[in-house]
Amino acid sequence: MLISMITSNSPSIESSRIAHSIGTALDRFIKNNQNQFLYASGELSQLLRDIALASKVVNREVNKAGLIDIMGAMGSTNTGGDQQQKLDVLANIRFTRALAKGGEVAALISEESETFVDLNNDGKYIIAIDPLDGSSNIDVNVSIGTIFSVYRRKSPAGMPIQDEDILQKGTEQVAAGYILYGSSTMLVYTTGHGVNGFTYEPTLGEYFLSHPQMQTPESGKIFSVNEGSANSFEKPVKAYIDYCKEKNYTARYIGSLVADYHRNMLKGGIYIYPATAKDKNGKLRLMYECNALAYISEQSGGLATDGKGNRIMEIQPTGLHQRTPFFVGSKEMVEKAEAFNS
Ligand code: FDP
Protein backbone atom coordinates (compact mmCIF):
# COMPACT_ATOMS: atom_id res chain seq x y z
CA MET A 1 0.00 0.00 0.00
CA LEU A 2 2.77 2.42 1.06
CA ILE A 3 4.79 1.54 -2.01
CA SER A 4 1.89 2.15 -4.34
CA MET A 5 1.28 5.55 -2.62
CA ILE A 6 4.86 6.59 -3.20
CA THR A 7 4.87 5.57 -6.83
CA SER A 8 1.48 7.05 -7.61
CA ASN A 9 1.84 10.25 -5.54
CA SER A 10 5.51 10.96 -6.22
CA PRO A 11 6.14 10.83 -9.94
CA SER A 12 8.42 13.81 -9.45
CA ILE A 13 10.73 12.15 -6.94
CA GLU A 14 13.33 11.73 -9.71
CA SER A 15 13.33 15.48 -10.29
CA SER A 16 12.98 16.49 -6.64
CA ARG A 17 15.80 18.07 -4.67
CA ILE A 18 16.77 14.85 -2.92
CA ALA A 19 17.40 13.16 -6.23
CA HIS A 20 19.37 16.02 -7.75
CA SER A 21 22.57 14.99 -9.43
CA ILE A 22 25.58 15.97 -7.36
CA GLY A 23 27.58 16.91 -10.44
CA THR A 24 30.84 15.90 -12.03
CA ALA A 25 33.57 14.73 -9.71
CA LEU A 26 36.99 16.38 -10.12
CA ASP A 27 38.63 13.10 -11.12
CA ARG A 28 36.14 12.52 -13.91
CA PHE A 29 36.39 16.14 -15.02
CA ILE A 30 40.18 15.95 -15.25
CA LYS A 31 39.94 12.71 -17.21
CA ASN A 32 37.25 14.05 -19.58
CA ASN A 33 39.33 17.14 -20.31
CA GLN A 34 42.72 15.50 -20.57
CA ASN A 35 42.87 16.11 -24.32
CA GLN A 36 42.86 19.88 -23.67
CA PHE A 37 46.30 19.70 -22.09
CA LEU A 38 49.15 20.74 -24.26
CA TYR A 39 51.00 17.56 -23.38
CA ALA A 40 48.20 14.99 -23.21
CA SER A 41 50.31 12.45 -21.37
CA GLY A 42 48.17 11.92 -18.32
CA GLU A 43 51.02 13.15 -16.12
CA LEU A 44 49.54 16.59 -15.62
CA SER A 45 46.22 14.95 -14.77
CA GLN A 46 47.92 12.83 -12.14
CA LEU A 47 49.67 15.86 -10.75
CA LEU A 48 46.38 17.75 -10.36
CA ARG A 49 44.93 14.72 -8.61
CA ASP A 50 47.93 14.63 -6.25
CA ILE A 51 47.38 18.29 -5.38
CA ALA A 52 43.68 17.64 -4.79
CA LEU A 53 44.48 14.71 -2.52
CA ALA A 54 46.98 16.68 -0.44
CA SER A 55 44.46 19.52 -0.15
CA LYS A 56 41.92 17.11 1.35
CA VAL A 57 44.41 16.16 4.03
CA VAL A 58 45.23 19.82 4.70
CA ASN A 59 41.52 20.60 4.77
CA ARG A 60 41.07 17.94 7.45
CA GLU A 61 43.84 19.48 9.55
CA VAL A 62 42.53 23.03 9.04
CA ASN A 63 39.11 21.91 10.22
CA LYS A 64 40.58 20.33 13.32
CA ALA A 65 42.64 23.41 14.21
CA GLY A 66 41.65 24.39 17.71
CA LEU A 67 40.90 20.83 18.73
CA ILE A 68 44.42 19.49 18.54
CA ASP A 69 47.79 21.12 19.02
CA ILE A 70 48.32 22.43 15.50
CA MET A 71 47.59 26.12 15.98
CA GLY A 72 50.16 28.76 16.71
CA ALA A 73 53.72 29.48 15.75
CA MET A 74 56.53 26.97 15.27
CA GLY A 75 59.05 29.41 16.72
CA SER A 76 60.87 29.58 13.36
CA THR A 77 60.63 31.95 10.39
CA ASN A 78 60.20 31.24 6.66
CA THR A 79 62.00 32.68 3.61
CA GLY A 80 60.23 36.03 3.99
CA GLY A 81 61.04 36.32 7.68
CA ASP A 82 57.40 35.57 8.60
CA GLN A 83 56.69 33.47 11.68
CA GLN A 84 56.10 29.90 10.50
CA GLN A 85 52.82 28.55 11.81
CA LYS A 86 52.49 24.86 12.60
CA LEU A 87 49.86 24.50 9.91
CA ASP A 88 52.18 26.17 7.35
CA VAL A 89 54.77 23.52 8.01
CA LEU A 90 52.24 20.73 8.02
CA ALA A 91 50.72 21.84 4.72
CA ASN A 92 54.18 22.08 3.19
CA ILE A 93 54.92 18.50 4.23
CA ARG A 94 51.58 17.23 2.86
CA PHE A 95 51.95 18.85 -0.55
CA THR A 96 55.64 17.97 -0.89
CA ARG A 97 54.97 14.36 0.01
CA ALA A 98 52.02 14.01 -2.38
CA LEU A 99 53.94 15.59 -5.25
CA ALA A 100 57.09 13.59 -4.57
CA LYS A 101 55.21 10.30 -4.60
CA GLY A 102 53.75 10.72 -8.09
CA GLY A 103 57.17 11.13 -9.72
CA GLU A 104 55.88 13.72 -12.23
CA VAL A 105 57.49 16.67 -10.44
CA ALA A 106 61.16 17.44 -10.97
CA ALA A 107 61.37 20.32 -8.51
CA LEU A 108 59.24 22.25 -6.10
CA ILE A 109 59.44 25.96 -5.28
CA SER A 110 57.77 26.70 -1.98
CA GLU A 111 57.35 29.69 0.29
CA GLU A 112 58.58 27.47 3.09
CA SER A 113 61.94 26.51 1.50
CA GLU A 114 64.87 28.84 0.82
CA THR A 115 66.04 26.94 -2.28
CA PHE A 116 64.02 24.75 -4.61
CA VAL A 117 63.35 21.18 -3.53
CA ASP A 118 64.90 18.69 -5.94
CA LEU A 119 62.41 15.82 -6.25
CA ASN A 120 63.05 13.67 -9.31
CA ASN A 121 65.31 14.37 -12.29
CA ASP A 122 63.03 12.24 -14.47
CA GLY A 123 60.03 14.43 -13.65
CA LYS A 124 58.76 16.79 -16.35
CA TYR A 125 57.07 19.42 -14.21
CA ILE A 126 58.03 22.22 -11.85
CA ILE A 127 55.58 23.31 -9.16
CA ALA A 128 55.60 26.67 -7.40
CA ILE A 129 53.42 26.56 -4.30
CA ASP A 130 52.37 28.58 -1.31
CA PRO A 131 51.10 25.63 0.77
CA LEU A 132 49.15 27.80 3.21
CA ASP A 133 48.56 31.42 2.35
CA GLY A 134 47.10 33.93 4.77
CA SER A 135 48.53 32.03 7.69
CA SER A 136 48.17 34.94 10.09
CA ASN A 137 44.45 34.11 9.89
CA ILE A 138 44.79 30.49 11.03
CA ASP A 139 44.47 31.15 14.75
CA VAL A 140 41.32 33.22 14.32
CA ASN A 141 39.36 30.81 12.15
CA VAL A 142 39.35 32.98 9.02
CA SER A 143 39.60 31.59 5.48
CA ILE A 144 43.05 30.58 4.24
CA GLY A 145 44.28 29.08 0.99
CA THR A 146 46.83 27.14 -1.07
CA ILE A 147 48.14 28.62 -4.33
CA PHE A 148 49.97 26.64 -7.02
CA SER A 149 51.51 27.08 -10.47
CA VAL A 150 52.58 24.24 -12.76
CA TYR A 151 55.38 24.62 -15.32
CA ARG A 152 56.85 22.21 -17.81
CA ARG A 153 60.62 21.90 -17.39
CA LYS A 154 62.75 23.30 -20.24
CA SER A 155 65.77 21.01 -19.96
CA PRO A 156 65.43 17.36 -20.98
CA ALA A 157 64.09 14.97 -18.34
CA GLY A 158 66.81 12.92 -16.69
CA MET A 159 69.16 15.90 -16.32
CA PRO A 160 69.69 17.85 -13.12
CA ILE A 161 67.39 20.87 -12.82
CA GLN A 162 68.67 24.09 -14.42
CA ASP A 163 67.94 27.78 -13.69
CA GLU A 164 65.91 27.98 -16.92
CA ASP A 165 63.56 25.30 -15.53
CA ILE A 166 63.00 27.15 -12.31
CA LEU A 167 62.89 30.83 -13.24
CA GLN A 168 60.10 30.75 -15.80
CA LYS A 169 57.70 33.58 -16.57
CA GLY A 170 54.02 33.22 -15.67
CA THR A 171 53.19 33.00 -19.38
CA GLU A 172 54.84 29.55 -19.31
CA GLN A 173 52.39 28.10 -16.78
CA VAL A 174 50.60 25.00 -18.04
CA ALA A 175 48.18 24.97 -15.12
CA ALA A 176 47.50 26.99 -12.00
CA GLY A 177 45.00 27.04 -9.22
CA TYR A 178 44.12 27.60 -5.63
CA ILE A 179 42.29 25.90 -2.82
CA LEU A 180 40.18 28.06 -0.55
CA TYR A 181 39.58 26.64 2.91
CA GLY A 182 36.51 28.76 3.62
CA SER A 183 32.92 28.27 4.74
CA SER A 184 33.18 25.49 2.21
CA THR A 185 36.41 24.26 0.65
CA MET A 186 36.91 24.94 -3.03
CA LEU A 187 39.51 24.01 -5.61
CA VAL A 188 39.69 26.38 -8.58
CA TYR A 189 42.02 25.74 -11.49
CA THR A 190 42.85 26.45 -15.08
CA THR A 191 44.87 24.67 -17.74
CA GLY A 192 44.42 27.54 -20.18
CA HIS A 193 40.89 26.61 -21.25
CA GLY A 194 38.87 28.76 -18.87
CA VAL A 195 38.54 28.42 -15.11
CA ASN A 196 36.54 25.78 -13.29
CA GLY A 197 35.66 25.65 -9.60
CA PHE A 198 34.98 22.52 -7.54
CA THR A 199 33.42 22.38 -4.09
CA TYR A 200 34.49 19.75 -1.59
CA GLU A 201 31.80 17.40 -0.31
CA PRO A 202 33.34 16.24 2.99
CA THR A 203 31.03 13.27 3.57
CA LEU A 204 31.94 11.85 0.15
CA GLY A 205 35.55 13.01 0.29
CA GLU A 206 35.35 14.40 -3.24
CA TYR A 207 35.44 17.70 -5.10
CA PHE A 208 32.47 18.28 -7.42
CA LEU A 209 32.17 20.76 -10.25
CA SER A 210 30.11 23.63 -8.83
CA HIS A 211 31.37 26.65 -10.78
CA PRO A 212 31.89 25.73 -14.45
CA GLN A 213 33.64 28.26 -16.71
CA MET A 214 33.98 31.01 -14.11
CA GLN A 215 33.95 34.59 -15.39
CA THR A 216 35.11 37.74 -13.58
CA PRO A 217 32.66 40.59 -14.10
CA GLU A 218 34.15 43.26 -16.43
CA SER A 219 33.82 45.78 -13.63
CA GLY A 220 32.73 45.84 -10.00
CA LYS A 221 32.35 47.88 -6.85
CA ILE A 222 34.70 46.22 -4.39
CA PHE A 223 38.22 47.42 -3.64
CA SER A 224 40.51 45.38 -1.42
CA VAL A 225 43.67 46.93 -0.04
CA ASN A 226 45.29 47.25 3.38
CA GLU A 227 44.73 50.94 3.90
CA GLY A 228 46.66 50.88 7.16
CA SER A 229 49.79 51.44 5.05
CA ALA A 230 48.15 54.08 2.82
CA ASN A 231 50.47 56.88 4.01
CA SER A 232 53.34 55.20 2.23
CA PHE A 233 51.50 54.28 -0.99
CA GLU A 234 52.67 56.02 -4.14
CA LYS A 235 50.53 58.93 -5.36
CA PRO A 236 48.72 57.09 -8.20
CA VAL A 237 47.62 54.33 -5.80
CA LYS A 238 46.36 56.89 -3.28
CA ALA A 239 44.53 58.71 -6.08
CA TYR A 240 42.87 55.48 -7.26
CA ILE A 241 41.73 54.66 -3.72
CA ASP A 242 40.27 58.18 -3.40
CA TYR A 243 38.49 57.55 -6.71
CA CYS A 244 36.99 54.31 -5.33
CA LYS A 245 35.72 56.23 -2.31
CA GLU A 246 34.26 59.04 -4.45
CA LYS A 247 32.40 56.32 -6.35
CA ASN A 248 31.13 54.88 -3.06
CA TYR A 249 32.70 51.52 -3.79
CA THR A 250 32.73 48.94 -1.02
CA ALA A 251 35.96 48.27 0.92
CA ARG A 252 36.55 44.58 1.69
CA TYR A 253 39.89 43.22 2.93
CA ILE A 254 40.28 39.95 4.79
CA GLY A 255 44.08 39.88 4.64
CA SER A 256 43.96 36.41 3.13
CA LEU A 257 44.89 36.70 -0.54
CA VAL A 258 42.97 33.69 -1.85
CA ALA A 259 39.79 34.66 -0.03
CA ASP A 260 40.00 38.31 -1.09
CA TYR A 261 40.76 37.30 -4.67
CA HIS A 262 38.00 34.67 -4.84
CA ARG A 263 35.32 37.03 -3.57
CA ASN A 264 36.31 39.71 -6.07
CA MET A 265 36.48 37.23 -8.93
CA LEU A 266 32.88 36.18 -8.27
CA LYS A 267 31.43 39.58 -7.43
CA GLY A 268 33.59 42.00 -9.41
CA GLY A 269 36.34 43.98 -7.73
CA ILE A 270 40.01 44.79 -7.50
CA TYR A 271 42.67 43.54 -5.08
CA ILE A 272 45.73 45.73 -4.63
CA TYR A 273 48.96 45.07 -2.76
CA PRO A 274 51.14 47.99 -3.78
CA ALA A 275 54.67 49.03 -2.86
CA THR A 276 54.84 50.36 0.69
CA ALA A 277 57.58 51.99 2.77
CA LYS A 278 58.16 48.59 4.43
CA ASP A 279 57.97 46.49 1.25
CA LYS A 280 59.39 48.51 -1.64
CA ASN A 281 58.31 45.85 -4.16
CA GLY A 282 55.06 45.02 -2.46
CA LYS A 283 54.70 42.02 -0.19
CA LEU A 284 53.40 39.26 -2.45
CA ARG A 285 55.56 36.69 -4.21
CA LEU A 286 55.64 36.58 -7.97
CA MET A 287 56.32 32.88 -8.37
CA TYR A 288 53.93 31.23 -5.96
CA GLU A 289 51.25 33.83 -5.28
CA CYS A 290 50.84 36.35 -8.11
CA ASN A 291 51.47 34.29 -11.26
CA ALA A 292 48.84 31.64 -10.47
CA LEU A 293 46.18 34.23 -9.64
CA ALA A 294 47.16 36.29 -12.69
CA TYR A 295 46.68 33.23 -14.93
CA ILE A 296 43.31 32.44 -13.38
CA SER A 297 42.31 36.07 -13.60
CA GLU A 298 43.15 36.35 -17.30
CA GLN A 299 41.48 33.03 -18.03
CA SER A 300 38.28 34.30 -16.40
CA GLY A 301 38.30 37.63 -18.23
CA GLY A 302 40.17 39.70 -15.62
CA LEU A 303 43.56 41.39 -15.57
CA ALA A 304 46.69 41.33 -13.40
CA THR A 305 49.45 43.95 -13.48
CA ASP A 306 52.06 45.44 -11.19
CA GLY A 307 50.20 48.77 -11.27
CA LYS A 308 52.90 50.23 -13.51
CA GLY A 309 51.79 48.94 -16.86
CA ASN A 310 53.48 45.54 -16.66
CA ARG A 311 51.49 42.35 -17.10
CA ILE A 312 52.32 40.12 -14.12
CA MET A 313 52.76 36.98 -16.23
CA GLU A 314 55.41 38.68 -18.38
CA ILE A 315 57.73 39.60 -15.53
CA GLN A 316 60.95 37.61 -15.78
CA PRO A 317 61.70 36.18 -12.33
CA THR A 318 65.26 36.54 -11.13
CA GLY A 319 64.78 34.87 -7.77
CA LEU A 320 62.49 32.23 -6.26
CA HIS A 321 61.08 34.53 -3.62
CA GLN A 322 60.89 37.71 -5.65
CA ARG A 323 58.12 40.13 -4.70
CA THR A 324 55.99 42.33 -6.91
CA PRO A 325 53.27 44.94 -6.44
CA PHE A 326 50.00 43.23 -7.42
CA PHE A 327 46.84 44.69 -8.96
CA VAL A 328 44.34 41.99 -9.91
CA GLY A 329 40.65 41.63 -10.63
CA SER A 330 37.97 43.02 -12.91
CA LYS A 331 39.51 44.26 -16.16
CA GLU A 332 38.02 47.75 -16.18
CA MET A 333 38.99 48.37 -12.56
CA VAL A 334 42.61 47.31 -13.06
CA GLU A 335 42.77 49.44 -16.22
CA LYS A 336 41.38 52.40 -14.31
CA ALA A 337 43.93 51.96 -11.50
CA GLU A 338 46.68 51.79 -14.16
CA ALA A 339 45.36 54.98 -15.77
CA PHE A 340 46.24 56.97 -12.62
CA ASN A 341 49.92 56.43 -13.50
CA SER A 342 49.74 58.49 -16.65
P1 FDP B 1 49.98 36.25 5.33
O1 FDP B 1 51.09 37.21 5.58
O2 FDP B 1 49.03 36.12 6.47
O3 FDP B 1 50.45 34.91 4.80
O4 FDP B 1 50.77 36.21 1.32
C1 FDP B 1 50.83 36.96 2.38
C2 FDP B 1 49.52 37.48 2.96
O5 FDP B 1 49.10 36.86 4.12
C3 FDP B 1 48.31 37.46 2.00
O6 FDP B 1 47.57 36.28 2.04
C4 FDP B 1 47.52 38.62 2.46
O7 FDP B 1 46.66 39.16 1.47
C5 FDP B 1 48.59 39.60 2.85
O8 FDP B 1 49.74 38.84 3.20
C6 FDP B 1 48.22 40.43 4.04
O9 FDP B 1 49.23 41.34 4.29
P2 FDP B 1 48.98 42.63 5.21
O10 FDP B 1 48.75 42.11 6.59
O11 FDP B 1 50.22 43.42 5.08
O12 FDP B 1 47.79 43.33 4.65
Side-chain angles (χ1 to χ4, degrees):
M1 177 59 186
L2 185 63
I3 289 175
S4 68
M5 262 179 67
I6 289 175
T7 42
S8 60
N9 291 345
S10 316
S12 60
I13 195 149
E14 269 295 308
S15 58
S16 79
R17 195 167 169 274
I18 52 168
H20 266 185
S21 152
I22 197 156
T24 310
L26 176 66
D27 260 10
R28 182 178 296 258
F29 185 88
I30 291 174
K31 205 166 164 209
N32 289 349
N33 291 284
Q34 195 161 299
N35 60 351
Q36 288 185 343
F37 301 156
L38 198 52
Y39 312 95
S41 58
E43 287 171 336
L44 184 55
S45 304
Q46 185 53 47
L47 205 149
L48 289 169
R49 281 192 214 107
D50 291 342
I51 291 175
L53 177 63
S55 79
K56 291 178 194 175
V57 181
V58 171
N59 180 60
R60 190 189 61 189
E61 308 299 340
V62 166
N63 278 306
K64 278 195 303 198
L67 291 175
I68 54 173
D69 182 31
I70 47 172
M71 293 213 305
M74 285 286 288
S76 49
T77 52
N78 68 12
T79 54
D82 305 326
Q83 274 278 337
Q84 271 184 316
Q85 305 294 311
K86 288 180 194 164
L87 264 172
D88 277 332
V89 175
L90 210 134
N92 194 40
I93 292 171
R94 293 297 180 194
F95 281 102
T96 309
R97 205 177 276 166
L99 291 166
K101 262 199 185 139
E104 292 86 11
V105 182
L108 193 82
I109 301 159
S110 164
E111 173 166 39
E112 305 306 325
S113 318
E114 192 66 48
T115 56
F116 67 83
V117 184
D118 212 342
L119 289 182
N120 172 20
N121 281 347
D122 291 327
K124 295 190 186 125
Y125 294 92
I126 310 290
I127 305 279
I129 190 164
D130 184 350
L132 212 57
D133 184 74
S135 46
S136 51
N137 282 317
I138 295 170
D139 287 357
V140 288
N141 211 353
V142 170
S143 302
I144 44 184
T146 296
I147 309 174
F148 63 91
S149 290
V150 183
Y151 296 86
R152 182 106 173 152
R153 71 182 290 175
K154 299 273 180 199
S155 63
M159 302 248 302
I161 286 297
Q162 311 288 312
D163 276 358
E164 56 168 357
D165 299 320
I166 296 292
L167 297 175
Q168 297 193 48
K169 289 184 191 174
T171 47
E172 301 293 307
Q173 291 171 102
V174 293
Y178 60 79
I179 295 115
L180 172 60
Y181 310 96
S183 45
S184 60
T185 295
M186 276 195 77
L187 187 152
V188 173
Y189 83 93
T190 183
T191 55
H193 298 269
V195 178
N196 290 289
F198 299 78
T199 301
Y200 186 57
E201 217 297 8
T203 58
L204 298 174
E206 251 303 359
Y207 285 101
F208 290 94
L209 181 63
S210 52
H211 296 63
Q213 288 297 324
M214 298 169 86
Q215 281 294 315
T216 310
E218 278 272 300
S219 193
K221 291 188 172 3
I222 298 173
F223 67 107
S224 310
V225 60
N226 183 348
E227 270 198 274
S229 318
N231 278 348
S232 67
F233 291 170
E234 289 168 347
K235 270 196 184 141
V237 183
K238 281 185 185 166
Y240 177 68
I241 293 172
D242 288 344
Y243 167 84
C244 291
K245 290 177 181 171
E246 277 158 27
K247 288 275 184 189
N248 278 324
Y249 286 175
T250 299
R252 288 283 181 274
Y253 188 76
I254 299 171
S256 203
L257 176 60
V258 175
D260 279 313
Y261 172 78
H262 184 75
R263 179 204 50 241
N264 292 358
M265 171 164 71
L266 293 180
K267 296 198 164 184
I270 184 170
Y271 174 96
I272 301 176
Y273 207 113
T276 63
K278 184 167 163 252
D279 295 304
K280 300 268 182 268
N281 290 316
K283 179 182 180 191
L284 304 180
R285 310 312 180 112
L286 175 63
M287 293 215 64
Y288 43 80
E289 291 181 314
C290 303
N291 269 337
L293 297 187
Y295 192 21
I296 287 179
S297 180
E298 290 194 9
Q299 282 292 316
S300 61
L303 203 60
T305 72
D306 65 353
K308 296 202 154 86
N310 302 305
R311 184 180 170 212
I312 287 294
M313 291 208 289
E314 281 175 9
I315 299 174
Q316 174 61 57
T318 51
L320 300 186
H321 304 289
Q322 180 172 335
R323 299 174 196 262
T324 178
F326 194 41
F327 291 57
V328 66
S330 292
K331 194 163 174 284
E332 284 176 13
M333 297 181 86
V334 177
E335 281 168 351
K336 184 74 188 173
E338 281 280 352
F340 278 86
N341 275 308
S342 46

